[in-house]
């Protein structure tokens, strides 16, 4: 992105020339437009450089009605205006600025600023959506106390909400009414929120540790209240957890969540008024799977945790995004581990890194956790900033110890309360509190790319020597990487799998180094990087016997799973190579058969862990093992290995399915969710055999199911088994849940991922289906995302029809929702990672986009994909 004229650079940061103490907003919501009157008390920033006098107000797609300073209207020659806002000059040290703008939420399909989602008017301001509401310095280091008055028709918009506490409300002229909200905490404008609508509500209260009652409310379109109980319970659990774990008590009298159907991402942590995508609020067992339940719980907690990590202490500029996101994801991860199977929760996190973040870090969009430049900030809400950012926090926590780290986070929050700060400020606070030296560790924030650790070993005379080398591949703009400070957990076991010593955490800091263990009777089995103590790729040759033993006996569930993954990967990569070379497939490796025998004969008590240990690495994982991804070979190899396992272990898998079959009423808890997960995995294996028996069984499961998890297990098992059973289950599904858009997303995904027939034509047809809606991002992600990710063979079809479909729809979408279009363009950006003919087809799609009129969002992604080619 270097060289792009509109890029912003971290190095160019300048403090704001003026600060705003108070913001008074008045929203006059009318049927055809909304008029916003903003009154600000402004003063010169004492920290601004001498002589700096120009002041930038950002504003986009606004009708400027009036602008005045201290009551005197400014003529058009009193300011300079450009595409993104206006500049004021010759300003006094203190003044009042009044700006009146008009916006049109009904025609704002970007879902940024003030927009309509069905009957609800709502806002989305992060990162820079506030500048679509009024002219304002739309940057997080300008923090002000907001008072918001909303007036609207009382019948159309009976509910009026904004941040903070409601201090006044009442009737107004002509069937209208108003409400006034005051937020006592200074905040950046990206945390502003407003909602107006005719909404159903679920009320509750939470009593804080110090005995204050907080009013909780969850608003949705009428008729969905019954799907909100789990989100409410999750909110209360998160509030209690943050008190118990970090001593952080909620700080306002009310906490509101509003669920809206059209939302570009998961949710938004606006102060006291979170706005959520319905997909991350609604959870009822008839319409949501166990995974949906867990996701709702974790996203509700994540947004709540932002109240401190993000809102009370915020980011100085958007390059610091991971300051709040990495830390909040880390807190969310801790919360999730405390509320589910700890091992499997960590496995999910590790898998997310390996399946999504490592590929991003190896592709054209690789960027440091603290990026150096961007064109469109919304393109940088990435797994690198979020998930890798959380892994960096986790590394510090491991080095400090969890309690010391918790105290350090508290120290950071106390020290910077009410401020907009940097990642460096955070690292300094952690050093101050823990005494850790994080000098070298800081490079993790500055460099992109996944370090690779290569471990060699030698055992002589009771001494084990591990030689460990690290290196990190070049990434765009960063040819050379330093050695990183890498915490690596190691444990040793004897041949029987008995632990030989407590696990230790070593800190690797050199390009290569040696670690020794003395006094060993015989060569031990080494369990390295257990739990993924650092976001690195490990190369460590271990034989099947060692991996089988670790799989059965390692004391860390994540390490057990990882040993299984290594065993599967060995077979899978051999199969890919064999298929690629001469279209043959080797038989199952005897070591893998033995390991699975042991696993099935003596499974872990944690059912969810068993399910994970039985699950083959994803096709992404397999592709990652190769320089160039051969989509066809990877797909074929994975199916072949799955089928071979299903054949070899048919009896055991059938027994497993029987032992874990649905029974009793649905409960969402660790044990029951684990049981359902094993059942689904077993059914999935059995379906690889394509027999009448499995078709009938899956249909029976579908018909008998009282919950969405079992229904989806059945539908997934039938996915590649066309015929009457599949038709019947799918027809029932479409009819039964026709009025549940989020369930219809599951249906769209099933349709998009169906391989038989002409999938491209089917998806094109569904674009016109009444169940599809281009203006709703959930629908778009389900159908188009579901097609690209869920149906790789059709998407990567030889004739290019899959690529053409994606290209068409990106262009259509880019005209009104650039954020979503850019995300879809990201799917073809890493074309250089693919083998031919896929690479050329993906690249051609990018070239086609490049030649079109594009938003900055999509252009930035396309340019990254085509750089150096
Ligand atoms: N902070 C928001 C994400 C905003 C994304 C803007 N494109 C939700 C979250 O991370 O909690
Ligand atoms: Zn967040």
């Amino acid at each position: 992105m270097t060289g792009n004229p509109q890029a912003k650079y971290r190095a160019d940061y300048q403090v704001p020339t003026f600060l705003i103490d108070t913001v008074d907003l008045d929203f006059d919501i009318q049927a055809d437009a909304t008029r916003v009157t903003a009154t600000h008390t402004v003063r010169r920033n004492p920290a601004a450089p001498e002589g700096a006098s120009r002041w930038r107000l950002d504003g986009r797609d606004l009708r400027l009605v009036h602008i005045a300073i201290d009551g005197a209207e400014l003529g058009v020659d009193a300011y300079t205006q450009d595409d993104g806002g206006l500049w004021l000059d010759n300003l006094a040290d203190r003044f009042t600025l009044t700006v009146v703008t008009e916006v049109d939420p009904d025609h704002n399909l970007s879902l940024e600023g003030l927009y309509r989602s069905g009957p609800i008017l709502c806002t989305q301001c992060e990162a820079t959506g506030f500048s679509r509401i009024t002219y304002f310095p739309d940057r997080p280091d300008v923090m002000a106390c907001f008072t918001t008055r909303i007036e609207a028709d009382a019948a159309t918009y009976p509910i009026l909400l904004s941040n903070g506490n409601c201090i006044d409300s009442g009737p107004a002229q002509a069937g209208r009414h108003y409400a006034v909200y005051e937020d006592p905490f200074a905040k950046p404008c990206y945390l502003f929120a407003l909602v107006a609508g005719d909404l159903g509500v679920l009320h509750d209260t939470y009593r804080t540790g110090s005995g204050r009652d907080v009013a909780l409310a969850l608003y949705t379109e009428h008729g969905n209240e019954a799907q909100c109980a789990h989100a409410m319970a999750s909110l209360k659990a998160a509030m209690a957890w943050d008190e118990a774990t970090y001593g952080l008590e909620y700080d306002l009298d009310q906490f509101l969540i509003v669920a809206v159907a059209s939302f570009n991402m998961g949710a938004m942590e606006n102060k006291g008024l979170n706005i959520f995508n319905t997909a991350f609020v609604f959870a009822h067992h008839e319409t949501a799977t166990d995974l949906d339940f867990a996701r709702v719980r974790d996203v509700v907690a994540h947004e709540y945790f932002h109240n401190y990590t993000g809102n009370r202490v915020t980011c100085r500029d958007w390059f610091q995004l991971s300051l709040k996101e990495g830390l909040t994801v880390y807190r969310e991860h801790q919360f999730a581990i405390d509320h589910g199977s700890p091992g499997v929760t960590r496995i999910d996190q590790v898998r997310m890194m390996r399946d999504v973040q490592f590929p991003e870090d190896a592709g054209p969009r690789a960027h440091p956790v603290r990026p150096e430049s961007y064109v469109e900030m919304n393109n940088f809400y990435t797994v690198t900033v979020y998930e890798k950012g959380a892994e960096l926090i986790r590394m510090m926590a491991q080095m400090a110890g969890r309690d010391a780290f918790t105290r350090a986070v508290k120290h950071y929050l106390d020290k910077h309360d009410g401020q907009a700060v940097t990642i460096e400020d955070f690292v300094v606070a952690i050093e101050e509190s823990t005494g850790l030296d994080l000098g070298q560790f800081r490079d993790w924030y500055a460099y992109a790319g996944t370090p690779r650790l290569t471990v060699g070993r030698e055992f002589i005379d009771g001494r084990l020597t591990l030689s460990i080398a690290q290196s990190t591949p070049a990434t765009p703009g960063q040819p050379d990487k330093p050695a990183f400070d890498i915490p690596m957990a190691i444990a040793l076991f004897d041949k029987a799998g008995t632990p030989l010593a407590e696990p230790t955490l070593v800190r690797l800091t050199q390009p290569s180094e040696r670690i020794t263990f003395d006094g060993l009777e015989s060569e031990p089995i080494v369990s390295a990087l257990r739990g993924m103590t650092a976001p690195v790729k490990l190369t460590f040759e271990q034989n099947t016997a060692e991996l089988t033993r670790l799989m059965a006996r390692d004391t860390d569930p994540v390490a057990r799973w990882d040993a299984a993954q290594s065993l599967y990967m060995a077979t899978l990569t051999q199969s890919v190579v064999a298929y690629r070379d001469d279209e043959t497939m080797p038989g199952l490796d005897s070591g893998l058969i033995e390991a699975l025998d042991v696993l099935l004969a003596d499974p872990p008590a944690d059912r969810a862990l068993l399910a994970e240990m039985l699950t083959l690495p994803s096709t992404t994982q397999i592709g990652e093992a190769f320089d160039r991804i051969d989509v066809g070979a990877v797909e074929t190899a994975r199916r072949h290995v799955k089928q071979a396992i299903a054949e070899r272990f048919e009896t055991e898998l059938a027994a497993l399915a029987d032992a874990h079959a649905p029974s009793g009423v649905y409960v969402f808890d660790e044990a029951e969710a684990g049981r359902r997960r094993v059942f689904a995995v077993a059914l999935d294996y059995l379906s690889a055999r394509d027999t009448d028996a499995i078709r009938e069984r899956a249909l029976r499961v579908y018909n008998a199911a009282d919950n969405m998890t079992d229904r989806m297990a059945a539908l997934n098992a039938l996915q590649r088994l066309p015929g009457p059973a599949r038709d019947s289950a799918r027809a029932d599904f479409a009819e039964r849940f026709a009025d549940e858009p989020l369930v219809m997303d599951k249906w769209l995904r099933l349709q998009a991922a169906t391989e038989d027939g002409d999938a491209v034509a089917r998806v094109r047809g569904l674009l016109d289906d009444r169940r599809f809606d281009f203006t709703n991002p959930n629908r778009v992600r389900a159908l188009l995302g579901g097609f690209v990710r869920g149906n790789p063979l059709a998407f990567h079809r030889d004739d290019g029809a899959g690529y053409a479909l994606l290209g068409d729809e990106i262009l259509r979408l880019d005209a009104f929702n650039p954020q979503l279009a850019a995300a879809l363009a990201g799917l073809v950006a890493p074309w250089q990672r693919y083998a031919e003919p896929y690479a050329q087809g993906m690249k051609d799609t990018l070239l086609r986009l490049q030649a079109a009129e594009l938003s900055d969002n999509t252009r930035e992604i396309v340019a990254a994909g085509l750089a150096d080619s």
Side-chain angles (χ1 to χ4, degrees):
M1 285 136 270
T2 320
N4 189 317
Q6 299 128 339
K8 295 179 185 60
Y9 295 90
R10 184 172 72 90
D12 290 346
Y13 175 79
Q14 289 185 329
V15 299
T17 42
F18 287 86
L19 301 176
I20 301 182
D21 292 317
T22 62
V23 172
D24 272 282
L25 296 171
D26 186 297
F27 285 81
D28 179 11
I29 298 172
Q30 300 287 349
D32 50 352
T34 293
R35 181 169 281 222
V36 185
T37 304
T39 313
H40 314 303
T41 54
V42 188
R43 67 186 156 93
R44 187 174 295 278
N45 182 358
E50 197 74 29
S53 65
R54 297 184 87 203
W55 192 35
R56 174 71 174 175
L57 299 181
D58 303 295
R60 291 178 296 157
D61 296 338
L62 296 171
R63 195 168 88 73
L64 179 58
V65 179
H66 175 83
I67 179 163
I69 287 185
D70 292 330
E73 171 146 22
L74 301 182
V76 280
D77 46 359
Y79 53 88
T80 40
Q81 207 164 357
D82 57 38
D83 268 359
L86 52 83
W87 292 96
L88 297 176
D89 215 335
N90 301 318
L91 295 162
D93 285 347
R94 283 177 183 275
F95 57 93
T96 300
L97 172 72
T98 309
V99 183
V100 182
T101 51
E102 234 173 49
V103 294
D104 180 5
D106 280 336
H107 294 99
N108 177 6
L109 297 179
S110 69
L111 314 189
E112 243 196 338
L114 181 68
Y115 70 93
R116 173 177 296 287
S117 171
I120 309 174
L121 286 186
C122 65
T123 53
Q124 171 54 35
C125 292
E126 187 178 1
T128 55
F130 195 71
S131 58
R132 288 176 175 273
I133 294 175
T134 185
Y135 285 92
F136 196 83
D138 198 347
R139 44 188 291 170
D141 56 351
V142 173
M143 299 173 80
C145 288
F146 283 62
T147 304
T148 306
R149 183 180 187 281
I150 314 165
E151 191 184 303
D153 180 71
T156 318
Y157 302 107
I159 306 283
L160 303 173
L161 309 171
S162 190
N163 317 87
N165 300 312
C166 184
I167 55 166
D168 190 15
S169 63
Q173 297 285 311
R176 293 166 63 80
H177 71 152
Y178 74 94
V180 182
Y181 286 81
E182 191 179 75
D183 183 354
F185 292 95
K187 66 167 176 285
C189 64
Y190 83 84
L191 290 173
F192 170 77
L194 175 151
V195 170
D198 184 2
L199 300 167
V201 60
L202 180 68
H203 286 291
D204 209 329
T205 48
Y206 176 80
R207 177 158 296 175
T208 68
S210 68
R212 260 182 337 105
D213 281 331
V214 180
L216 309 178
L218 216 161
Y219 295 90
T220 75
E221 285 182 39
H222 288 288
N224 298 303
E225 295 84 344
Q227 302 194 54
C228 295
H230 174 67
M232 182 62 91
S234 303
L235 173 61
K236 293 168 84 174
M239 295 176 90
W241 187 90
D242 222 13
E243 288 184 11
T245 315
Y246 285 92
L248 296 173
E249 232 184 77
Y250 187 59
D251 53 8
L252 288 167
D253 301 336
Q254 60 183 33
F255 188 89
L256 315 179
I257 292 178
V258 180
V260 301
S262 285
F263 206 65
N264 263 341
M265 62 265 175
M268 179 63 212
E269 70 264 24
N270 317 299
K271 183 80 186 186
L273 175 55
N274 286 188
I275 299 180
F276 271 63
N277 184 330
T278 49
F280 297 88
V281 172
F282 293 174
H284 185 282
H285 66 267
E286 285 169 14
T287 45
T289 62
D290 291 336
L291 256 168
D292 296 327
F293 269 74
R295 227 177 24 192
V296 166
R297 179 194 68 202
D298 296 346
V299 176
V300 167
H302 176 109
E303 304 311 329
Y304 175 74
F305 296 154
H306 268 314
N307 189 53
Y308 279 90
T309 51
N311 299 4
R312 288 282 287 260
V313 182
T314 194
C315 302
R316 184 193 74 173
D317 54 71
W318 292 120
F319 298 101
Q320 319 297 330
L321 179 60
S322 196
L323 174 77
K324 73 177 177 81
E325 295 305 345
L327 182 54
T328 304
V329 172
Y330 168 73
R331 277 153 50 70
E332 173 201 326
H333 283 178
Q334 282 183 299
F335 171 84
I337 282 175
D338 288 348
H339 287 84
S341 152
V344 170
T345 307
R346 179 62 189 153
I347 288 168
D348 287 338
Q349 296 160 8
V350 172
R351 188 188 288 122
M352 169 66 119
M353 287 297 291
R354 291 185 184 158
D355 278 2
V356 192
Q357 201 279 325
F358 287 3
E360 178 168 280
D361 232 351
R365 294 263 300 128
H367 54 275
V369 170
R370 182 185 54 212
E372 292 299 334
S373 74
Y374 62 78
V375 172
E376 169 52 60
M377 186 54 211
N378 283 316
N379 286 334
F380 283 81
Y381 286 75
T382 58
V383 278
T384 298
V385 167
Y386 275 64
E387 310 295 325
K388 186 174 179 182
E391 292 298 321
L392 304 197
I393 304 280
R394 184 173 184 270
M395 285 195 277
M396 289 186 257
Q398 291 172 115
M399 296 189 292
R402 188 159 163 173
D403 291 346
F405 187 73
T406 302
R407 283 195 298 278
V409 171
K410 288 277 290 171
H411 167 65
Y412 155 74
L413 291 172
D414 287 342
K415 181 179 174 190
H416 294 294
D417 193 18
Q419 298 176 359
V421 301
T422 62
I423 285 173
E424 176 60 20
D425 292 323
F426 175 80
V427 176
V428 167
I430 300 303
E431 286 184 315
E432 284 169 354
S433 177
T434 61
L436 284 172
D437 174 357
L438 298 171
Q440 185 181 358
F441 186 85
R442 282 170 169 77
D443 284 337
W444 279 108
Y445 283 104
Y447 289 90
T450 308
R452 178 174 290 283
L453 286 184
T454 308
V455 179
R457 61 180 155 172
E458 199 176 62
F459 183 75
I460 303 174
D461 295 340
R463 164 179 284 198
L464 171 75
T465 305
L466 298 178
S467 3
I468 307 172
Q470 60 159 296
S471 69
T472 305
T475 52
Q478 292 187 330
D480 303 308
K481 312 284 176 170
F484 290 89
D485 181 353
I486 300 176
M488 172 154 116
I490 301 176
L492 303 180
F493 297 88
D494 68 15
K495 291 275 180 285
T498 313
L500 287 176
E502 282 298 296
T504 53
L505 190 73
V506 294
R507 256 171 100 171
L508 308 168
T509 57
Q510 306 299 318
S512 64
E513 52 201 286
R514 284 163 185 276
I515 298 165
T516 54
F517 297 88
D518 285 308
L520 298 162
E521 275 173 21
S522 61
E523 181 164 6
I525 300 176
V526 182
S527 172
L529 200 74
R530 42 215 321 272
M532 200 177 88
T533 45
V536 301
K537 293 180 183 168
L538 178 70
T539 308
F540 182 29
E541 293 297 326
Q542 284 178 296
N543 63 37
T544 310
E546 290 174 316
L547 289 170
T548 306
R549 191 59 74 202
L550 289 176
M551 204 172 137
R553 301 296 300 276
D554 199 312
T555 42
D556 176 5
V558 186
R560 293 181 69 175
W561 165 79
D562 226 354
Q565 292 283 296
S566 300
L567 279 170
Y568 291 130
M569 274 303 271
T571 298
L572 286 162
T573 49
Q574 279 162 20
S575 306
V576 171
V577 172
Y579 183 79
R580 204 182 49 194
D581 292 351
D582 53 18
E583 302 210 347
T584 58
M585 282 288 172
L588 273 191
D589 179 78
S590 60
L592 178 60
I593 293 178
E594 194 192 315
L596 286 172
D597 267 331
V598 175
L599 175 64
L600 290 165
D602 183 17
D606 180 348
R607 299 282 102 175
L609 178 61
L610 171 62
E612 293 308 327
M613 292 179 74
L614 284 170
T615 304
L616 294 176
S618 66
T619 48
T620 314
Q621 265 307 296
I622 304 165
E624 278 285 280
F626 294 89
D627 285 343
R628 295 275 187 142
I629 303 165
D630 184 332
V631 178
V634 167
E635 282 295 327
T636 312
R638 190 174 187 278
R639 284 169 205 207
H640 172 82
V641 172
K642 190 162 137 190
Q643 195 179 350
I645 292 175
E647 271 165 27
R648 174 65 180 71
F649 292 97
E650 185 168 18
T651 319
E652 292 85 345
L653 288 163
L656 206 58
D658 292 343
H660 293 79
S663 68
V665 289
Y666 176 92
V667 186
F668 174 66
D669 66 16
E670 196 183 318
E672 279 295 284
R675 181 187 61 69
R676 286 187 288 268
R677 211 148 154 169
V678 174
F679 178 69
V681 169
L683 205 63
D684 186 47
Y685 269 112
L686 295 173
S687 74
R689 301 275 283 115
D690 193 355
T691 59
D692 285 344
I694 186 64
R695 286 163 198 258
E696 281 156 25
R697 177 165 192 170
L699 183 58
R700 275 202 309 278
V701 171
Y702 176 86
N703 285 329
D706 70 342
N707 67 81
M708 186 53 72
T709 309
D710 291 332
R711 270 194 211 286
M712 287 308 293
L715 288 168
N716 286 331
L718 287 168
Q719 183 68 0
R720 291 200 189 124
L721 304 176
R726 190 180 79 178
D727 293 347
S728 148
R730 282 193 185 176
D732 175 86
F733 194 74
E735 195 189 313
R736 186 183 291 263
F737 299 109
D739 297 331
E740 297 286 350
L742 295 176
V743 185
M744 282 299 101
D745 286 344
K746 297 183 195 302
W747 181 84
L748 287 171
R749 281 181 196 280
L750 287 169
Q751 295 289 327
T754 301
E755 289 179 345
D756 47 279
D758 184 341
V760 172
R762 188 180 326 107
V763 172
R764 282 199 188 275
L766 285 167
L767 291 167
D768 296 322
D769 191 281
R770 63 182 165 78
R771 285 162 282 212
F772 185 74
D773 172 2
F774 233 106
T775 65
N776 182 302
N778 290 347
R779 299 303 91 80
V780 175
R781 281 186 282 257
L783 185 58
L784 295 177
F787 172 63
V788 176
R789 291 212 177 78
N791 205 342
L793 295 179
F795 174 60
H796 291 283
R797 227 161 90 161
D798 286 356
D799 64 0
Y803 304 134
L805 165 64
L806 184 70
D808 291 347
E809 302 317 311
I810 290 173
L811 288 174
R812 179 139 67 125
L813 207 50
D814 197 46
F816 61 90
N817 189 339
Q819 275 188 48
L820 192 53
L824 292 177
L827 296 170
V828 278
W831 61 274
Q832 300 194 62
R833 287 282 295 111
Y834 286 76
E836 295 299 352
Y838 315 111
Q840 191 60 44
M842 293 165 78
K843 182 182 179 189
D844 287 346
T845 313
L846 289 175
L847 289 168
R848 176 180 169 209
L849 295 174
Q850 188 190 39
E853 178 105 8
L854 291 179
S855 65
D856 282 356
N857 307 53
T858 303
R859 184 158 301 287
E860 182 177 32
I861 304 293
V862 170
L866 292 174
D868 321 314
S869 68

